[in-house]
Amino acid sequence: MAARKSPFFDTATTLGQIVAFFGVSALCGVLAAGLLVPAAAAAGTAASGSIQFFDDLPSELQAGALAEPSKIYANDGSLIATLYEENRQPIKLDQVSPTMIDAMLAIEDDRFYEHGGVDVQGVIGALASNLTSGTNRGASTITQQYVNSVIIDTNLQNKQEVVLSGNKDYGDKLREMKLAIAVEKQLSKDEILEGYFNIVPFSGTTFGVQAASKFFFNVDASQLNIPQAALLAGVVNGPSVYSPTGNPELALQRRNIVIRAMLDKGRITQEEHDAAVATELGLNITPVPSNCTGAVQAPYFCDYVMHLILNDERYGATTEDRQKLLYRGGLSINTTLDPEIQNAAQTAVNETANPDTTDPEIGHSMVSMEPRSGKILSMAQNTRYTPEEGAGNSVINFNVDLNQDGDPNKPLGGMGGFQPGSTYKPFTVAAWLDAGKTLNTTLNGSKRTYPAGHSWNASCLPGGRYGIPEPWTPINYGDTNYKTTTVIDGLANSLNTITMAEINQLDLCKFQEMAFASGIHNGKSASGENEPLEVNPPSSFGGGGDASPLAMATGFATFAAEGLKCEPRALESVTAVDGRSFEVPAQECTQVMKKEVAQGVNAATQQVMTKGSGYYLQNGRPVAGKTGTNDFRSQTWFMGYTTGMVTASWLGNHVWGNERGSMEGKQIGGQVYPEIDGSKIAGPSWKNFIDRIPDQYQANPFTPPPASVMGTVAAPPRPAPAPSNDQNKNNNGGGNQGENKNDGDD
């Protein structure tokens, strides 16, 4: 940064240097003017101006709060991630090794405990040397260095001009001196030294002696020995020039100069000196990973939490204020994440679609939440959280919406969701039951073509109807199974034609409203509010738009909680290092669905597991679920839930989305699947996950729905008369074929 020139202190001339010298002499109270009387006489007016300039300088140091890293914790207190611009770990002076104190004083300011902030002897010596030799020797005391560091730190916080040491003019130095004298009146020597040890930079983003000790040697500052302390004391003079990692030879030379200074100042013995200079640098570089890229666990959950803080005005009036608090405020952010559940989810996701053995366009994510509280328990993803380009790398969170509450000014860093396929069907069943109909109602599931111009009731649309411009023939998975059966059986076997038979008796807007009230919405909304999915007949069994896995988990959690919808929650508490406590979103639960309706849906989704597409995913506990696959085979789902935990398992093509990009023929976890649907990959991944944590979630029996919801099972057709013995002899029919399990889904 270019140097700024004071009109009184232009050092380009000898006269300017003399004037500056008199200004410093006045500051120090030194009667040294007589040394340069002839020159002073020639420059008397300028000298008087310099004294006035000094008197006008501020005499109080305006210090901002020191930056401290913020930390995100899981619900058991384990670390998720550390967020910082400056890695600093403030400590008390009595936590600094006496050897470290000796090393710093010996090389930087051996008269620290004797001067009043400005070392007169050092200033005169430096000025004399600079005047006679043309050098740029400094004479800053530790107090001045502390003042300088505070000024730089405060200016950086306030985004003001920062003047580095090499660009300072004499006006800057005078200001620094005056402030140093003021600080000496306000603070004790030990307080100044403690502040100095906590603020000075040592390397890159490493500030303060404790962070430096951990970074370079992985020891606490209290444990530093002579060569270690000397190395750190030497680095302070030029963190980039004497970097032990960047310039190890210069760092070693500088370290040995410090050790020699310690000997000369009587702070170590000759034997200690000789032993110390004979050692290697002895580095044990231990960086503190920064931000979500260095998360210890759950990097995508970390990213989600980070966005929640940055979007919330409770943490600052502007985004800039919130960023400052998040990265400099030393926040302790306690969250709902359960590490055991998270570890199980991440393991299952990696084993299913490891990024090293999976085509880069194939994404897999899994998010779990607690139904009656909304607590997010885990958030896993099969990509590596890093902004670096490369297959399997991504900072986009597949689990969450594009924007928070549809507000484009509150991004969540999410993909924005995917077409939910048949996982949307339970909401059609919910609308069916809410209309007073029953699960055991028998419907005609025959294949049918709806002609152009056919329309359905849709009270939320203009004219109250939804019409189709062209003929349309809904089909079942595999273009088979067009049978007459019950509503509950139709959901268990994911029959599109049974779902269509339901909506022929319903208002299209009712199942959309039921899903929206339960938490399912358009994950790509940017209108300023959450929006429901589209209203059209295909959406009754395929979802009209894109919903995020977290939104889908919220919707199914409403079923699990018998109609109680709880907003997703990630934050438990947030406190700052200065003791401030910040408000976090409270638990927000609302009864949005009749209990008996949710109980009815749970009865149907349990049958998905006992005789439908989830048959092979049972785990011996009361569990419900629903598979889903879109028409293009680009998106697949499994929604699995118990009374205590709901999990959305999604696997799909995140590059091409819903329109194309089938996953058929793609490498997924090192294999190519002959058939793509929710029961084949996303479902088994969920089972892998839940089998790892059998005691980490509640799984009580679901409450059975009342008889009014179940309805009466229609009497089966009267069987034909039993054949005679002769007929039996002529019967070449096959044996018992067993129960037909529908492994497919659409």
Side-chain angles (χ1 to χ4, degrees):
M1 190 173 294
R4 297 176 290 105
K5 297 297 182 182
S6 164
F8 298 110
F9 300 103
D10 185 351
T11 58
T13 66
T14 302
L15 179 61
Q17 292 178 321
I18 295 171
V19 171
F21 174 76
F22 272 103
V24 175
S25 297
L27 166 67
C28 303
V30 180
L31 299 178
L35 295 174
L36 296 173
V37 170
T45 302
S48 298
S50 71
I51 304 304
Q52 181 62 45
F53 175 80
F54 172 74
D55 288 340
D56 292 339
L57 290 172
S59 59
E60 183 176 343
L61 183 63
Q62 301 296 322
L66 282 183
E68 289 193 41
S70 293
K71 295 186 177 183
I72 303 176
Y73 297 101
N75 67 3
D76 66 347
S78 61
L79 182 67
I80 293 175
T82 303
L83 313 177
Y84 64 83
E85 290 177 348
E86 298 176 1
N87 179 28
R88 179 183 283 108
Q89 302 170 37
I91 56 175
K92 298 295 183 182
L93 186 61
D94 61 10
Q95 295 174 285
V96 180
S97 163
T99 303
M100 182 70 227
I101 295 173
D102 285 341
M104 193 68 79
L105 294 179
I107 194 65
E108 291 294 330
D109 188 0
D110 194 53
R111 289 168 40 81
F112 172 72
Y113 281 96
E114 300 171 23
H115 61 65
V118 176
D119 187 353
V120 177
Q121 295 179 19
V123 171
I124 293 175
L127 283 172
S129 174
N130 295 345
L131 284 169
T132 58
S133 65
T135 61
N136 190 26
R137 173 182 161 189
S140 292
T141 64
I142 279 181
T143 309
Q144 289 174 256
Q145 292 180 47
Y146 170 68
V147 166
N148 181 55
S149 294
V150 170
I151 292 172
I152 290 174
D153 186 77
T154 302
N155 286 353
L156 284 172
Q157 289 189 51
N158 297 328
K159 302 201 179 298
Q160 297 174 347
E161 182 183 19
V162 173
V163 181
L164 302 178
S165 296
N167 293 324
K168 289 181 181 179
D169 61 24
Y170 279 93
D172 293 320
K173 293 297 293 183
L174 281 178
R175 176 188 183 215
E176 183 182 289
M177 290 177 179
K178 186 172 183 180
L179 288 172
I181 294 172
V183 166
E184 291 270 355
K185 294 177 180 179
Q186 297 166 359
L187 302 175
S188 70
K189 286 289 188 179
D190 284 354
E191 288 173 330
I192 294 169
L193 192 57
E194 179 180 295
Y196 176 77
F197 273 124
N198 281 320
I199 197 171
V200 290
F202 283 87
S203 175
T205 58
T206 302
F207 289 74
V209 68
Q210 173 66 10
S213 300
K214 298 295 286 186
F215 176 78
F216 287 112
F217 305 112
N218 196 25
V219 300
D220 289 323
S222 62
Q223 300 173 312
L224 290 167
N225 59 31
I226 293 172
Q228 291 171 338
L231 179 69
L232 295 185
V235 165
V236 167
N237 188 255
S240 58
V241 175
Y242 300 116
S243 167
T245 54
N247 298 306
E249 292 183 0
L250 283 178
L252 184 63
Q253 292 174 17
R254 176 68 178 171
R255 184 204 70 176
N256 291 343
I257 290 173
V258 176
I259 295 173
R260 179 67 195 188
M262 295 175 73
L263 174 65
D264 292 343
K265 302 298 172 57
R267 297 183 181 271
I268 58 174
T269 65
Q270 184 68 53
E271 291 76 16
E272 289 173 324
H273 167 275
D274 295 345
V277 297
T279 64
E280 301 292 334
L281 287 178
L283 300 178
N284 182 11
I285 301 299
T286 310
V288 175
S290 172
N291 306 326
C292 297
T293 54
V296 178
Q297 57 182 325
Y300 292 95
F301 180 78
C302 168
D303 182 85
Y304 177 65
V305 167
M306 181 188 72
H307 280 93
L308 292 180
I309 298 289
L310 294 176
N311 290 341
D312 195 333
E313 293 183 1
R314 283 174 280 206
Y315 304 100
T318 67
T319 300
E320 187 175 273
D321 292 337
R322 298 189 286 270
Q323 287 176 333
K324 181 177 177 180
L325 177 66
L326 183 61
Y327 293 107
R328 300 179 62 90
L331 297 181
S332 291
I333 305 169
N334 297 302
T335 74
T336 60
L337 187 89
D338 186 307
E340 290 191 44
I341 293 177
Q342 172 67 29
N343 183 60
Q346 191 63 59
T347 300
V349 164
N350 288 344
E351 290 185 356
T352 299
N354 189 296
D356 295 327
T357 56
T358 299
D359 285 343
E361 64 267 36
I362 306 302
H364 183 21
S365 72
M366 195 177 289
V367 60
S368 297
M369 62 186 294
E370 190 174 74
R372 293 185 178 274
S373 69
K375 292 180 180 180
I376 300 172
L377 304 175
S378 66
M379 188 177 286
Q381 187 164 312
N382 76 319
T383 51
R384 290 176 287 265
Y385 187 91
T386 173
E388 296 179 5
E389 295 289 334
N393 296 345
S394 179
V395 294
I396 298 175
N397 191 341
F398 299 153
N399 286 287
V400 301
D401 292 350
L402 195 63
N403 302 305
Q404 187 174 351
D405 299 323
D407 186 344
N409 297 312
K410 296 182 177 181
L412 284 176
M415 179 65 73
F418 312 93
Q419 194 176 61
S422 291
T423 56
Y424 201 65
K425 286 178 180 174
F427 296 96
T428 303
V429 172
W432 173 267
L433 298 177
D434 192 63
K437 302 176 184 297
T438 69
L439 288 173
N440 281 318
T441 300
T442 300
L443 297 174
N444 183 355
S446 300
K447 191 174 183 179
R448 173 183 174 183
T449 296
Y450 295 90
H454 185 89
S455 65
W456 290 264
N457 287 327
S459 58
C460 59
L461 299 182
R465 304 285 293 179
Y466 180 94
I468 53 174
E470 298 178 353
W472 177 51
T473 307
I475 62 173
N476 293 330
Y477 182 84
D479 201 14
T480 62
N481 221 7
Y482 299 105
K483 60 182 179 179
T484 296
T485 189
T486 61
V487 170
I488 192 170
D489 181 67
L491 183 64
N493 291 283
S494 203
L495 302 179
N496 292 338
T497 53
I498 293 296
T499 303
M500 282 304 303
E502 293 168 40
I503 73 164
N504 286 336
Q505 300 183 40
L506 296 173
D507 185 320
L508 290 180
C509 299
K510 294 304 179 184
F511 60 81
Q512 177 218 47
E513 293 169 3
M514 193 73 71
F516 187 60
S518 299
I520 295 180
H521 54 266
N522 176 9
K524 292 183 170 67
S525 174
S527 65
E529 60 182 9
N530 285 329
E531 301 169 337
L533 299 187
E534 297 174 10
V535 173
N536 54 58
S539 69
S540 64
F541 52 80
D546 299 332
S548 70
L550 182 58
M552 294 300 296
T554 304
F556 274 75
T558 301
F559 292 140
E562 298 187 339
L564 184 71
K565 181 255 186 130
C566 296
E567 296 292 341
R569 293 182 59 232
L571 302 176
E572 292 280 22
S573 67
V574 178
T575 56
V577 68
D578 60 10
R580 285 180 295 165
S581 180
F582 295 87
E583 184 182 357
V584 299
Q587 179 174 305
E588 185 180 345
C589 299
T590 308
Q591 194 74 31
V592 298
M593 186 184 298
K594 298 172 187 174
K595 278 190 175 184
E596 59 270 24
V597 169
Q599 290 166 357
V601 173
N602 292 338
T605 50
Q606 286 178 83
Q607 288 206 12
V608 171
M609 306 299 290
T610 58
K611 64 177 185 180
S613 56
Y615 179 79
Y616 295 105
L617 305 178
Q618 298 178 75
N619 72 337
R621 308 186 81 187
V623 64
K626 185 68 189 79
T627 52
T629 309
N630 71 343
D631 289 343
F632 298 99
R633 297 293 185 265
S634 62
Q635 311 300 328
T636 66
W637 298 77
F638 182 75
M639 302 298 305
Y641 65 103
T642 68
T643 55
M645 186 173 71
V646 175
T647 301
S649 175
W650 165 83
L651 186 141
N653 188 326
H654 65 89
V655 175
W656 291 107
N658 300 320
E659 301 303 320
R660 43 185 170 163
S662 170
M663 292 189 289
E664 294 175 347
K666 300 293 184 182
Q667 285 279 339
I668 303 174
Q671 62 178 306
V672 175
Y673 287 81
E675 190 174 10
I676 300 294
D677 64 55
S679 67
K680 297 295 192 297
I681 315 173
S685 186
W686 168 84
K687 188 174 189 305
N688 182 350
F689 155 66
I690 205 165
D691 284 349
R692 294 176 179 276
I693 48 168
D695 299 321
Q696 294 304 115
Y697 59 93
Q698 181 192 83
N700 296 328
F702 291 94
T703 303
S708 59
V709 169
M710 290 301 301
T712 304
V713 180
R718 178 175 295 178
S724 65
N725 289 336
D726 289 341
Q727 289 174 314
N728 277 330
K729 291 177 182 178
N730 295 327
N731 185 359
N732 295 321
N736 182 12
Q737 298 299 309
E739 186 179 19
N740 179 32
K741 306 298 187 304
N742 178 18
D743 296 328
D745 178 69
D746 54 11

